[in-house]
Amino acid sequence: MALEKEVQGGVEWRVTVPEGASAVVEPRPVNGWVDRVPAWLKAPAGFGRKAWLIGADDPRKVVHGLKVGAALSLVSLFYYTRPLYDGVGGWAMWAVMTVVVVFEFTVGGCLCKGFNRAMATVAAGLLAVGVHWIASRAGETAEPVILSASVFVLASAATFSRFLPAIKARFDYGITIFILTFSFVAISGYRVDRLLHLAQERAYTILIGVGICLLVCVLVCPVWAGQELHLLVSGNMEKLADSLEGLVEECFMEDGSEEGKQLPSAKSQGYKCVLNSKASEDSQANLAKWEPPHGRFRFRHPWSQYLKVAAAMRYCAYCMEALNGCVASEIKASEKMKSHLRGVCVKLSSDSSRVLKELSSSIRSMEESRIIPCLVTEMKNGAQELQAALRSLPEQLSAGGAEETAAGGGRGEKQTVTVSLMEAMPLITAASLLAEVSERVEGVVEAVGALAALARFEPSDRKKASSSVAPQDESVTPQREEV
Amino acid sequence: MALEKEVQGGVEWRVTVPEGASAVVEPRPVNGWVDRVPAWLKAPAGFGRKAWLIGADDPRKVVHGLKVGAALSLVSLFYYTRPLYDGVGGWAMWAVMTVVVVFEFTVGGCLCKGFNRAMATVAAGLLAVGVHWIASRAGETAEPVILSASVFVLASAATFSRFLPAIKARFDYGITIFILTFSFVAISGYRVDRLLHLAQERAYTILIGVGICLLVCVLVCPVWAGQELHLLVSGNMEKLADSLEGLVEECFMEDGSEEGKQLPSAKSQGYKCVLNSKASEDSQANLAKWEPPHGRFRFRHPWSQYLKVAAAMRYCAYCMEALNGCVASEIKASEKMKSHLRGVCVKLSSDSSRVLKELSSSIRSMEESRIIPCLVTEMKNGAQELQAALRSLPEQLSAGGAEETAAGGGRGEKQTVTVSLMEAMPLITAASLLAEVSERVEGVVEAVGALAALARFEPSDRKKASSSVAPQDESVTPQREEV
């Protein structure tokens, strides 16, 4: 993406790869071993290097590969062991197919596909047997007509139903298998007489395949989609918090400081992860609904509320994108004016950032944070201070103008004020956007509050809360008693 | 999504459904026939209504369902016609399976899956026969060990390779089929002696299935992913243009006007489509690369450049989201100040909007627009006028203040100026954001320029250009001669 290309200069960047996971793509070392490899070997070498990086970043992906291999080897036992082979017969290949197609990275994905495959096979098999029974009563000539027509109608209707979002999200794979099985049984039923036997054998082998998949998937280093979603949302919130602080720091950086020459830091660009992770969140929430209770997640954990939290975060991130635009357009405001606003802006951003970090750790630990209301109050106070600072800006403008043109006449003074306001414009915009971001952070607080209520987060013990986030000044401590 | 819920009040809203298309979900009529249906029938009735709406919005989806039915009926001919049945044998079910699995909504999707399936089957079949040949030389005991080990290693490696984004995007389905075919041939090769025959038959039937799919998909009302992407991008650009105009109108609406009581209009919320359509654009661009030249799109049409145009548009849309936040927070600026900025802001927004609309029609007609440079110059002039208006704002502030507190002393006047600046703050922010949007529109102009160069858009004839966009004042006309 064009936007992502802007981040340069040795920055580590987490990209969202289509299947919903995310991988860290490190910058290439300029004088690494890659340069010493002959040119014709570079493509595969680069490829191998990428694979190595992906594996090193998330070893569970390597384990997933090995799990699929193991599940397939288990299934092939049906072929190599004679008693089993005699039992299931030549249909064991259906079990192989099931394992290859159903095995997914997350337990939720595996369960979703397994359930879809099993249910769709049974439903379509029964329906096909019924249609076949009716067709067989209709006589020699009518039989293929009835069968063909039923395949045509059912396949058309089922294919169209995939365009309904509700069906698409949960039963997409099931629809494919439904059409497949129905066509198989209906069409081949015309030739193969042992129709029920065929349907039965398919069902058995599919159950064996699904069973092996689930066993391997759940017992060997399971990856839970719910857990992934949980970590993704809380991690993104942490990034959003860092990013907000980073952006405001860059915005109000002192002109003389050496940091000013750096490109936007990785820290301040973290909000882009929030902008880009909608697709992974949606798919993970979808899969998480299939998973049984696991770890700290009970039955009916409110997975869709995570999507609302994520939407509220994205709502902040849009505003931060605009703020980033302000940082990029060089701010030429005088140092004096910057220093007038710097204090309040940095305070508000660090307040908002603390709220987000506290929310993130509250989600991660699944404990209701006691200090959130205090932090929110602090943040609101910060926003009011910012308003006050903006309110006193005209005085600063005239004062600054008066100083500079002390020797000038009345007209000169007015012009200086004009120029100063123009200079201050990006600063004012940045400050307003910051205020807007802090307002939108309240939306995140609400969404997380709803999540805490729905998921019944435990109240954290006070001792832990006070040690994890030490109050910065005494004004916070008395308030905590009221909450 | 929480964000989408905000749009209410009889608004037509285009939602992006997971498979990459988009559907119009109309608001429910309050006293429609749905209310007269008994409660237990409401769920299926609502379902049927939704299906009807989707079908009515895009009849091609209904046609797609019928096409799948037709393709399956064609394949079933292999069963019902005896000479064909004798030729292909019981393996015809592989052709059925291929049709069900490969048939996709767009030609690109069909080609991508068909190619993947055919190539993966051939490659895995050859490899499996080779491994089998080696294993058969190794003796009775070693044979199953070698076969099992090869399945384990290849399945693990192939599964892991799916985590590489480059492989995932193009060959995800191929990898599944590769593992499937290799396991089939390698495992069943232990029992079935006619190994080559097995591989050959599978290949034939798959080719038959893919052939039928492609024939039906291309010959009956084809849906081209490239065309869809083309229309999606140009349509979204149009929406962005409308949305920009709508937002600025709402922002600078006169306080007394009745429109002020309306909720945000559908027109002004169109930018949300741009924010939400990344996933569909990515998948369509991916599939478009598989398609042969069709319609006005030549071989190697630069599909990935569309993604860059879309990214530039999204970059504008982020800023417009922040602008929308300004509109939402009630602007209490005095009518006088509003009217001071209204003219320039509305002009700049309509200039930017004209640029976007011209770009959109240039993309849609695939003709290079001659008037774009003039429109961009106009837009830049508009931005400078806005700057000038902002520059003269302090005068307005003091003048306004002086009028109101004519009777007050010196201190009273200063306070009024302060209050006025605070009042003007959201206006100033909105104006700065508008300036930022118009700057980002230049990024869209660049991206579309690159697209025009890469896709070799034809220069439009002058007559058509001047009739389609009539110049608003004479300053445009002389410039056009220079371009």
Side-chain angles (χ1 to χ4, degrees):
Chain A
M1 296 306 314
L3 299 180
E4 283 161 15
K5 274 188 194 150
E6 288 173 12
V7 184
Q8 294 159 352
V11 168
E12 185 192 65
W13 189 243
R14 192 166 279 269
V15 291
T16 308
V17 286
E19 87 275 18
S22 62
V24 174
V25 179
E26 283 177 15
R28 278 189 165 201
V30 182
N31 288 315
W33 57 269
V34 173
D35 287 347
R36 289 194 290 275
V37 175
W40 59 271
L41 254 177
K42 264 191 187 167
F47 210 70
R49 190 152 186 281
K50 243 182 212 165
W52 176 261
L53 285 175
I54 287 174
D57 176 54
D58 191 353
R60 297 176 307 171
K61 290 178 178 169
V62 182
V63 173
H64 173 63
L66 297 177
K67 276 158 79 178
V68 172
L72 270 178
S73 304
L74 266 179
V75 160
S76 67
L77 280 182
F78 283 93
Y79 258 91
Y80 299 134
T81 325
R82 191 157 283 277
L84 278 174
Y85 180 69
D86 292 341
V88 190
W91 293 98
M93 66 173 173
W94 287 109
V96 173
M97 182 178 268
T98 304
V99 168
V100 174
V101 179
V102 165
F103 212 110
E104 289 277 319
F105 186 54
T106 58
V107 177
C110 221
L111 272 169
C112 170
K113 279 200 155 178
F115 176 86
N116 265 296
R117 191 173 177 97
M119 284 300 112
T121 305
V122 171
L126 288 178
L127 197 61
V129 170
V131 169
H132 197 261
W133 183 80
I134 293 171
S136 65
R137 313 266 132 169
E140 276 279 306
T141 342
E143 192 176 355
V145 176
I146 290 179
L147 287 175
S148 280
S150 71
V151 167
F152 180 83
V153 169
L154 266 165
S156 300
T159 303
F160 178 71
S161 78
R162 298 171 101 166
F163 288 112
L164 289 164
I167 300 260
K168 176 87 189 171
R170 297 209 138 202
F171 305 112
D172 189 54
Y173 182 65
I175 298 278
T176 306
I177 296 299
F178 180 87
I179 303 176
L180 194 63
T181 308
F182 184 81
S183 314
F184 264 20
V185 181
I187 296 178
S188 63
Y190 183 52
R191 295 282 160 193
V192 184
D193 295 326
R194 309 168 304 143
L195 192 64
L196 270 173
H197 191 66
L198 174 86
Q200 209 181 3
E201 262 180 349
R202 251 211 93 174
Y204 279 151
T205 45
I206 282 179
L207 285 180
I208 291 173
V210 170
I212 288 177
C213 272
L214 285 180
L215 272 181
V216 175
C217 195
V218 174
L219 294 184
V220 187
C221 310
V223 178
W224 301 93
Q227 174 89 3
E228 297 287 289
L229 177 63
H230 185 86
L231 293 177
L232 180 67
V233 168
S234 60
N236 273 352
M237 203 174 281
E238 191 93 28
K239 275 183 206 160
L240 200 68
D242 283 338
S243 184
L244 182 58
E245 270 187 332
L247 277 177
V248 172
E249 271 168 26
E250 277 169 28
C251 202
F252 289 94
M253 206 179 285
E254 281 177 47
D255 288 331
S257 70
E258 284 191 11
E259 297 165 80
K261 281 150 202 163
Q262 283 183 357
L263 285 163
S265 65
K267 184 186 166 193
S268 72
Q269 301 299 306
Y271 70 90
K272 286 182 181 168
C273 292
V274 179
L275 290 178
N276 289 333
S277 51
K278 185 171 186 295
S280 0
E281 284 156 5
D282 285 351
S283 80
Q284 282 171 358
N286 231 335
L287 297 180
K289 286 175 193 155
W290 290 94
E291 290 174 353
H294 58 276
R296 298 167 300 165
F297 308 110
R298 309 174 210 204
F299 185 60
R300 295 201 164 215
H301 192 75
W303 298 116
S304 42
Q305 185 61 31
Y306 282 88
L307 295 184
K308 287 184 188 156
V309 174
M313 273 158 57
R314 237 185 331 275
Y315 201 48
C316 286
Y318 291 142
C319 227
M320 283 163 70
E321 225 292 324
L323 189 58
N324 189 41
C326 287
V327 176
S329 71
E330 279 176 58
I331 294 179
K332 287 173 207 143
S334 66
E335 184 53 34
K336 192 177 158 121
M337 205 178 303
K338 260 193 187 177
S339 67
H340 176 67
L341 285 178
R342 184 182 294 130
V344 279
C345 282
V346 169
K347 179 173 179 308
L348 178 55
S349 79
S350 78
D351 282 347
S352 310
S353 165
R354 276 175 78 203
V355 170
L356 286 174
K357 279 183 184 165
E358 182 62 23
L359 289 175
S360 163
S361 80
S362 153
I363 293 181
R364 192 166 291 151
S365 65
M366 296 184 74
E367 284 176 352
E368 212 161 355
S369 166
R370 276 160 184 271
I371 58 170
I372 283 284
C374 307
L375 292 177
V376 171
T377 316
E378 270 287 283
M379 184 175 76
K380 281 183 183 166
N381 289 344
Q384 271 168 5
E385 280 167 34
L386 176 60
Q387 291 242 324
L390 285 172
R391 208 168 281 139
S392 68
L393 202 60
E395 287 175 39
Q396 294 283 326
L397 292 177
S398 7
E403 261 174 44
E404 283 167 39
T405 58
R411 217 187 104 64
E413 188 178 333
K414 186 171 253 181
Q415 204 170 1
T416 317
V417 175
T418 311
V419 173
S420 299
L421 182 64
M422 271 314 287
E423 275 180 0
M425 204 70 82
L427 266 193
I428 294 177
T429 309
S432 314
L433 285 174
L434 178 60
E436 176 78 23
V437 170
S438 84
E439 223 166 82
R440 292 183 178 191
V441 166
E442 287 175 42
V444 181
V445 173
E446 270 172 40
V448 175
L451 176 66
L454 288 168
R456 280 172 285 163
F457 281 7
E458 284 166 28
S460 65
D461 44 274
R462 194 169 301 184
K463 193 180 152 200
K464 205 175 160 191
S466 58
S467 69
S468 70
V469 180
Q472 285 191 325
D473 55 25
E474 288 167 7
S475 69
V476 177
T477 326
Q479 280 180 332
R480 190 184 291 159
E481 301 304 314
E482 299 158 23
V483 182
Chain B
M1 295 308 313
L3 300 180
E4 283 160 14
K5 273 186 195 154
E6 290 173 8
V7 183
Q8 296 158 350
V11 168
E12 184 192 64
W13 187 244
R14 191 165 280 269
V15 290
T16 307
V17 286
E19 88 277 16
S22 61
V24 174
V25 179
E26 282 176 18
R28 280 189 164 203
V30 181
N31 287 316
W33 57 270
V34 172
D35 287 348
R36 287 192 292 274
V37 175
W40 59 272
L41 254 177
K42 263 193 188 169
F47 210 68
R49 188 154 188 281
K50 243 183 213 164
W52 176 262
L53 284 175
I54 287 176
D57 175 54
D58 191 353
R60 297 176 308 169
K61 289 179 179 169
V62 182
V63 173
H64 173 64
L66 298 177
K67 276 159 76 178
V68 172
L72 270 179
S73 305
L74 266 179
V75 160
S76 66
L77 280 184
F78 283 94
Y79 258 91
Y80 300 134
T81 326
R82 190 156 285 275
L84 278 174
Y85 180 68
D86 292 339
V88 190
W91 294 99
M93 66 175 174
W94 287 110
V96 174
M97 182 178 269
T98 304
V99 168
V100 174
V101 178
V102 165
F103 212 112
E104 290 277 318
F105 186 55
T106 59
V107 177
C110 222
L111 271 170
C112 169
K113 278 200 156 179
F115 176 86
N116 265 296
R117 190 174 178 97
M119 284 297 113
T121 305
V122 170
L126 289 178
L127 196 62
V129 170
V131 169
H132 197 261
W133 183 80
I134 292 173
S136 65
R137 310 269 132 169
E140 278 277 308
T141 342
E143 195 176 351
V145 176
I146 291 179
L147 287 174
S148 280
S150 72
V151 168
F152 180 83
V153 170
L154 266 166
S156 301
T159 304
F160 178 70
S161 78
R162 299 171 101 164
F163 289 112
L164 288 164
I167 300 259
K168 176 88 190 170
R170 296 207 138 204
F171 305 113
D172 189 54
Y173 182 65
I175 299 276
T176 306
I177 297 299
F178 180 87
I179 303 176
L180 194 63
T181 309
F182 185 82
S183 314
F184 264 22
V185 182
I187 295 177
S188 63
Y190 184 55
R191 294 281 161 195
V192 183
D193 295 325
R194 309 167 305 141
L195 192 63
L196 270 174
H197 191 67
L198 174 85
Q200 212 181 358
E201 263 180 347
R202 251 211 92 173
Y204 279 150
T205 45
I206 282 178
L207 286 180
I208 290 173
V210 170
I212 289 177
C213 273
L214 284 180
L215 272 181
V216 176
C217 194
V218 175
L219 294 184
V220 187
C221 309
V223 178
W224 301 93
Q227 174 89 3
E228 294 290 287
L229 177 64
H230 186 85
L231 294 177
L232 179 66
V233 168
S234 59
N236 273 351
M237 204 174 282
E238 192 93 29
K239 275 184 207 161
L240 201 68
D242 284 338
S243 182
L244 182 58
E245 269 187 332
L247 278 177
V248 172
E249 270 167 26
E250 277 170 28
C251 201
F252 289 94
M253 206 180 284
E254 280 175 49
D255 288 332
S257 69
E258 284 192 12
E259 297 165 79
K261 281 152 201 162
Q262 283 184 357
L263 284 162
S265 67
K267 185 186 164 193
S268 72
Q269 301 298 306
Y271 70 90
K272 284 183 182 167
C273 292
V274 180
L275 290 178
N276 288 334
S277 53
K278 185 173 187 291
S280 0
E281 285 156 4
D282 284 351
S283 81
Q284 282 171 359
N286 231 335
L287 296 180
K289 286 177 192 155
W290 289 95
E291 289 173 353
H294 58 275
R296 300 166 299 165
F297 308 110
R298 307 174 211 205
F299 185 61
R300 295 201 164 215
H301 193 76
W303 297 116
S304 42
Q305 184 63 30
Y306 283 89
L307 295 184
K308 286 183 189 156
V309 174
M313 274 157 58
R314 231 179 343 268
Y315 201 48
C316 286
Y318 291 143
C319 226
M320 283 163 70
E321 224 293 325
L323 189 59
N324 188 42
C326 286
V327 177
S329 72
E330 278 176 61
I331 294 181
K332 288 172 208 144
S334 65
E335 184 53 36
K336 190 177 160 126
M337 206 178 302
K338 260 194 188 177
S339 66
H340 175 65
L341 286 177
R342 184 183 292 129
V344 279
C345 281
V346 169
K347 180 174 180 306
L348 178 56
S349 80
S350 79
D351 282 347
S352 309
S353 166
R354 276 178 78 204
V355 171
L356 285 174
K357 279 182 184 163
E358 182 61 22
L359 289 175
S360 163
S361 79
S362 153
I363 292 181
R364 192 166 291 152
S365 64
M366 292 184 77
E367 283 176 353
E368 212 162 354
S369 167
R370 277 160 182 272
I371 58 168
I372 283 286
C374 307
L375 291 177
V376 171
T377 315
E378 271 287 285
M379 182 176 77
K380 281 182 183 165
N381 290 344
Q384 273 168 4
E385 279 167 32
L386 175 60
Q387 292 243 321
L390 284 173
R391 210 169 281 140
S392 68
L393 201 61
E395 285 173 40
Q396 295 283 326
L397 291 178
S398 8
E403 262 172 45
E404 284 167 40
T405 57
R411 216 188 105 62
E413 188 181 334
K414 185 170 253 179
Q415 204 168 2
T416 317
V417 176
T418 313
V419 173
S420 299
L421 181 65
M422 270 317 285
E423 274 180 1
M425 205 69 82
L427 267 195
I428 294 180
T429 308
S432 310
L433 284 174
L434 178 60
E436 175 79 22
V437 170
S438 85
E439 223 165 82
R440 292 185 179 190
V441 166
E442 288 176 42
V444 181
V445 173
E446 270 173 41
V448 175
L451 176 65
L454 287 168
R456 281 172 284 162
F457 281 8
E458 281 165 30
S460 64
D461 44 272
R462 196 169 299 182
K463 194 179 150 200
K464 202 174 160 191
S466 58
S467 70
S468 70
V469 180
Q472 285 192 326
D473 55 23
E474 288 167 8
S475 68
V476 178
T477 327
Q479 282 180 333
R480 191 185 290 158
E481 301 305 311
E482 298 159 23
V483 182

